[in-house]
Amino acid sequence: MTAITDMPDLPRAARRPQIGNPVLRWLRTNLFSSIPNGILTIVLLAVLAKGVIGFVQWGIANAVWLTPANDSSACKAVRGLGACWAIIPEKYRFILFGTYPFDEQWRPALAVLLFIALYFLSTRRALWRRELAFLWIGALALISVLMWGGVFGLSFVSQDRWGGLPVTLILATFGLAFGFPLGILVALGRRSKLPAIRSLSVLYVELIRGVPLVSLLFMASVMFPLFMPSGFNIDKLLRAQIAIILFAGAYLAEVIRGGLQAVPRGQYEAADALGLSYWRKHRLVVLPQAIRHVIPPLVNTFIAFFKDTSLVLIIGIFDLLTTAKTAIIDPAWQQFSVEVYIFVAAIYFVFCFAMSRYSRSLEARGR
Amino acid sequence: MTSDDPRPPPRRSFFGALGPNELKGLFWQVLVVGIVVAVVVFLWSNTVTNLSARRITTGFAFLGREASMPIADSLLAYSPRDSYLWAFVVGVANTLRVAVIGIVLATILGTLIGISRLSANWLLSRLAAVYVETLRDIPLLLQLLFWYVLMQGLPAARAAWRPVEGVFLSNRGLILPAIPIGAAQLWVLGTAVLGFVAFLVVRRWLVTQQMRDGKPRPAWPFALGLIVVLPLAVSLLLGVSWTIEWPQLRGFNFVGGLTLAPEYFALLVALVTYTSAFIAEIVRSGIQSVPRGQWDAASALGLRRSFMLRQIILPQALRVIVPPMTSQYLNLTKNSSLAVAIGYQDVVSVANTTLNQTGQAIEVISLIMAVFLTISLGISFFMNWYNARIALAER
């Protein structure tokens, strides 16, 4: 509790005379403003140095970067002393694309690039127009063609051979693409004056949010076949996708409800005065304002959701994390799972960090 | 609305009397409820057909049957001969063991990191920021697997790593010195809890007295007497021993002390570090929400720093902190279900095994839902009570 007693924005720190060498002055105000602070800095520097030196020794100096194919003896020699990054070039195609036919892996790679291009375009505010929706539909169709094949001379690849990063991106993107409109409907339902619709919406949101996603996924993988007429069986990936959409819908509904509450009453009344119908009122007047209010929490929900798709590992769907976990079952490389997890963590981090930066920039612009 | 109006209201037909908006509302409700009912009936009839085709009897009778599943690490006594019901209770206890301790540790760690992010020390605040950003942007399941792999990579019991005397870290988990708690010790601890309750009553009475005549009455002598001296006296009277049991390496394993199994320890570490990153942000925003004028005013009054923080800043920050904190606690509890990925048997893991063994999908899933809804409601209830207590009393 002592650290807080000298917050940077307290007036005293700001009024210190601005003299001397700027570097020294910066050090003085930011690292050595008082004796306890100086001691803290030195301790932290020592710990940091130890950590960084340790990591550099393990991760760079003693690391093995490349080995002959399928030979982990060089890695085993430095085990405990250095990292075995050689496992990444050895396994990266499996981690990224799973058991997708080796020669056809340019197709999921292209699909991933398409996804990234779509995300990038969608962040540009100038492009937030109707055309963007058509672009999405077109690109998603193209991605399905690439993944499935069977037309235009591409060989057919069934869904159970998909894996890795494209599966993660598909689960997240379709989860959001369908969860978002569902969330809007449920949020409107929760604020509706009609008691039956309101209570159904509340029931849906509270039931889904009250249980862990893991149990929803179990339900999708185990109970779904029970629910369906016999002989009717849908793919495991699609079942997980449905669970994820339902899950996303409930969480997004709560965020959007917050936005709806922030729209001033006058806006509703003005729309009513213009004689707009319920749906036109919400589509033209209320929802655009409501969603603009909650863009930062929406992006945060997207991030949480992107990470949560990794839970499909538990029901055995080959997303990025599952392929990583499977890649290290290979006895020759079993001991080097830390390196693989760091590699996959970096991929997740890049996506989530980009989203969080974007959310930050939106917030800054909104202010 | 008195009827001064001389004209009688125009007569309308039965449906006309509802007005166009009510009619539309009725139509939509009937439509939506009709669709939902139709879907539920469809799913229900399929399920009934499927269940009878697979010869699965519905109902909770299976709970009395022998579970014959091993539960390696449990708080309550359990053997595979016990019933499914007891296995389930053991699973719930395991979930609570992770959730409760996780919530306490994550709150402490998160608060420290949130405060560090506001520190005037540039290095400390940067490090805290890196901690928060990194942990928040990597899936919890990945972090959990990472910690579990690290735990497994630790040396064997013989070569256990010992950071402090009596503490061992090996691939058998974390072994700590412990005080064995028996019936006698429980009596003393019970006295301490009763003493604490009594102290709360006394303090409340002291405050009402002070409200009446304005004389400050110190509460600490009562605290000392009721919470420390009283249990100590009971302990001495009953002759309860409080010897610390030091773990020792015998052969290939440890004897004595408290063992945190690798699965439990990895789950706890992953949940605590991940949630602490979110709590840190909540604490930071809470403290930043207190206007600077409050700091200035408190300094101008010449208050001591600790008093100022405790009596002026924190009470105001807590109003911003408590509601989002509740959802973090709920998240941590729900996330403990990821235990299934590393084989720690929490309630979801036990339920999943039960489901695979018996095929009683509907009953098992409804039990999971009931357990989590109960826990969630419990946490929300407590936090709402706490929130109401600290809320700004506006007139």
Side-chain angles (χ1 to χ4, degrees):
Chain A
M1 288 278 164
T2 51
I4 200 177
T5 54
D6 32 37
M7 282 188 32
D9 52 353
L10 284 184
R12 214 171 303 156
R15 289 206 199 109
R16 198 161 267 157
Q18 307 272 303
I19 43 164
N21 185 328
V23 176
L24 281 179
R25 202 169 66 215
W26 185 89
L27 283 176
R28 180 101 169 260
T29 47
N30 291 305
L31 295 179
F32 299 97
S33 59
S34 63
I35 291 169
N37 234 333
I39 296 171
L40 182 66
T41 303
I42 290 165
V43 170
L44 282 176
L45 274 180
V47 172
L48 190 66
K50 199 163 182 243
V52 168
I53 291 170
F55 186 80
V56 166
Q57 271 180 346
W58 176 81
I60 298 171
N62 296 339
V64 177
W65 296 91
L66 269 177
T67 56
N70 230 344
D71 173 19
S72 59
S73 50
C75 278
K76 285 190 173 133
V78 298
R79 184 163 152 64
L81 301 171
C84 173
W85 299 117
I87 190 173
I88 306 298
E90 178 79 22
K91 300 277 183 195
Y92 81 98
R93 299 230 355 207
F94 182 79
I95 295 171
L96 288 180
F97 306 120
T99 53
Y100 205 89
F102 197 79
D103 294 331
E104 303 286 328
Q105 280 180 0
W106 60 271
R107 281 157 52 183
L110 198 58
V112 167
L113 289 181
L114 268 173
F115 268 126
I116 294 172
L118 270 180
Y119 301 151
F120 184 74
L121 287 177
S122 307
T123 60
R124 308 299 300 272
R125 237 183 177 168
L127 295 177
W128 288 1
R129 285 188 274 164
R130 186 161 301 195
E131 288 86 338
L132 190 63
F134 295 128
L135 190 69
W136 266 91
I137 294 167
L140 289 182
L142 189 58
I143 287 170
S144 331
V145 168
L146 277 172
M147 293 300 290
W148 259 302
V151 283
F152 308 125
L154 297 170
S155 59
F156 176 74
V157 179
S158 74
Q159 233 173 55
D160 47 342
R161 300 204 61 180
W162 299 7
L165 188 56
V167 169
T168 291
L169 295 181
I170 286 170
L171 285 173
T173 310
F174 283 90
L176 288 176
F178 289 94
F180 196 67
L182 178 67
I184 289 179
L185 283 182
V186 174
L188 288 177
R190 234 187 134 151
R191 283 173 57 82
S192 156
K193 285 194 205 76
L194 312 173
I197 290 178
R198 193 173 54 225
S199 25
L200 278 177
S201 309
V202 171
L203 192 71
Y204 166 71
V205 169
E206 295 303 330
L207 272 185
I208 301 271
R209 288 180 358 131
V211 296
L213 176 57
V214 174
S215 65
L216 282 183
L217 288 172
F218 278 141
M219 216 162 133
S221 77
V222 187
M223 278 171 85
F224 200 81
L226 279 183
F227 286 160
M228 286 293 130
S230 55
F232 179 88
N233 207 355
I234 61 169
D235 190 86
K236 202 169 166 188
L237 185 66
L238 188 55
R239 273 186 269 154
Q241 182 73 78
I242 291 172
I244 281 178
I245 290 170
L246 291 177
F247 177 77
Y251 276 78
L252 290 172
E254 284 300 277
V255 176
I256 294 164
R257 185 163 73 105
L260 287 175
Q261 280 171 352
V263 176
R265 266 193 74 83
Q267 296 290 324
Y268 289 88
E269 288 163 357
D272 285 336
L274 286 176
L276 295 181
S277 72
Y278 179 85
W279 295 110
R280 280 170 67 90
K281 174 172 80 178
H282 279 96
R283 192 164 56 86
L284 299 173
V285 180
V286 178
L287 277 172
Q289 299 184 53
I291 290 171
R292 197 162 305 150
H293 277 301
V294 289
I295 286 174
L298 270 181
V299 179
N300 288 341
T301 315
F302 291 179
I303 297 175
F305 186 68
F306 185 81
K307 287 183 294 173
D308 279 345
T309 57
S310 63
L311 264 60
V312 295
L313 174 136
I314 285 167
I315 54 168
I317 284 172
F318 272 73
D319 78 321
L320 183 58
L321 188 52
T322 319
T323 50
K325 203 170 174 244
T326 315
I328 44 189
I329 287 176
D330 183 350
W333 300 93
Q334 218 165 26
Q335 299 146 334
F336 308 104
S337 33
V338 168
E339 288 85 344
V340 171
Y341 285 146
I342 290 177
F343 173 67
V344 172
I347 295 177
Y348 275 107
F349 183 82
V350 166
F351 278 99
C352 294
F353 192 68
M355 276 193 270
S356 114
R357 281 284 110 146
Y358 177 62
S359 149
R360 202 78 51 87
S361 79
L362 281 178
E363 243 172 296
R365 204 176 311 162
R367 221 172 265 148
Chain B
M1 278 284 187
T2 46
S3 50
D4 288 339
D5 200 358
R7 279 176 301 169
R11 284 187 71 82
R12 292 192 203 147
S13 68
F14 180 73
F15 283 109
L18 280 171
N21 275 329
E22 276 100 341
L23 204 62
K24 226 192 277 172
L26 198 67
F27 167 75
W28 278 108
Q29 294 195 70
V30 169
L31 186 74
V32 170
V33 172
I35 292 173
V36 170
V37 168
V39 169
V40 168
V41 167
F42 171 71
L43 297 179
W44 188 255
S45 68
N46 285 331
T47 312
V48 170
T49 327
N50 286 327
L51 285 178
S52 65
R54 293 175 200 197
R55 294 173 203 282
I56 299 174
T57 46
T58 50
F60 288 92
F62 72 98
L63 283 174
R65 298 213 303 268
E66 190 178 293
S68 59
M69 78 171 98
I71 297 183
D73 184 26
S74 67
L75 202 59
L76 304 170
Y78 173 84
S79 87
R81 311 278 305 270
D82 287 324
S83 67
Y84 278 116
L85 183 64
W86 185 245
F88 214 81
V89 171
V90 169
V92 173
N94 277 353
T95 293
L96 287 176
R97 177 158 75 129
V98 167
V100 171
I101 296 178
I103 284 174
V104 171
L105 293 180
T107 309
I108 296 170
L109 185 62
T111 309
L112 285 179
I113 290 169
I115 291 174
S116 302
R117 256 196 108 162
L118 291 172
S119 164
N121 191 313
W122 182 87
L123 192 59
L124 184 63
S125 67
R126 283 295 102 175
L127 284 177
V130 169
Y131 176 92
V132 169
E133 291 290 349
T134 316
L135 287 176
R136 281 204 311 179
D137 286 347
I138 295 171
L140 174 59
L141 184 56
L142 179 53
Q143 297 189 33
L144 177 61
L145 293 174
F146 179 84
W147 288 115
Y148 187 52
V149 160
L150 277 192
M151 288 298 293
Q152 287 177 320
L154 287 173
R158 280 180 162 270
W161 188 55
R162 48 170 89 182
V164 193
E165 194 52 48
V167 175
F168 297 91
L169 197 59
S170 72
N171 58 7
R172 307 247 174 193
L174 180 71
I175 291 113
L176 301 165
I179 297 168
I181 302 286
Q185 283 88 352
L186 276 182
W187 277 108
V188 178
L189 291 179
T191 319
V193 171
L194 280 182
F196 182 70
V197 174
F199 165 69
L200 289 183
V201 175
V202 169
R203 199 184 62 171
R204 177 165 248 182
W205 180 76
L206 288 176
V207 170
T208 37
Q209 290 300 305
Q210 184 179 350
M211 288 294 173
R212 230 177 37 197
D213 58 13
K215 269 189 223 144
R217 292 179 174 79
W220 65 266
F222 293 95
L224 194 71
L226 288 167
I227 306 173
V228 180
V229 178
L230 185 69
L232 214 64
V234 173
S235 171
L236 286 175
L237 270 176
L238 293 176
V240 180
S241 72
W242 294 94
T243 45
I244 299 175
E245 194 180 76
W246 297 91
Q248 263 155 9
L249 187 63
R250 294 259 172 78
F252 293 104
N253 210 345
F254 292 96
V255 181
L258 179 74
T259 304
L260 303 182
E263 292 82 16
Y264 176 75
F265 190 54
L267 183 63
L268 193 64
V269 169
L271 283 175
V272 166
T273 48
Y274 182 76
T275 314
S276 72
F278 291 87
I279 290 181
E281 284 298 274
I282 294 171
V283 168
R284 179 177 70 104
S285 68
I287 291 174
Q288 279 181 333
S289 77
V290 178
R292 248 185 57 186
Q294 298 285 326
W295 293 87
D296 295 343
S299 319
L301 287 174
L303 298 178
R304 261 183 296 132
R305 288 283 186 181
S306 61
F307 184 85
M308 168 171 140
L309 197 65
R310 215 176 55 236
Q311 299 287 339
I312 293 173
I313 305 304
L314 274 185
Q316 299 185 59
L318 275 180
R319 288 190 192 120
V320 179
I321 290 173
V322 169
M325 205 74 131
T326 310
S327 37
Q328 285 311 318
Y329 291 170
L330 293 176
N331 280 348
L332 188 145
T333 310
K334 280 192 285 171
N335 283 337
S336 71
S337 61
L338 294 186
V340 77
I342 56 167
Y344 174 73
Q345 277 152 317
D346 74 322
V347 60
V348 175
S349 171
V350 168
N352 189 38
T353 313
T354 311
L355 203 160
N356 287 334
Q357 288 179 357
T358 63
Q360 306 277 3
I362 296 163
E363 293 83 355
V364 167
I365 297 277
S366 51
L367 276 179
I368 296 184
M369 288 197 164
V371 166
F372 275 95
L373 286 179
T374 312
I375 297 177
S376 303
L377 287 178
I379 294 176
S380 306
F381 182 77
F382 174 75
M383 293 301 278
N384 284 339
W385 168 80
Y386 184 64
N387 194 32
R389 244 180 69 102
I390 61 166
L392 189 62
E394 274 180 300
R395 272 171 280 265

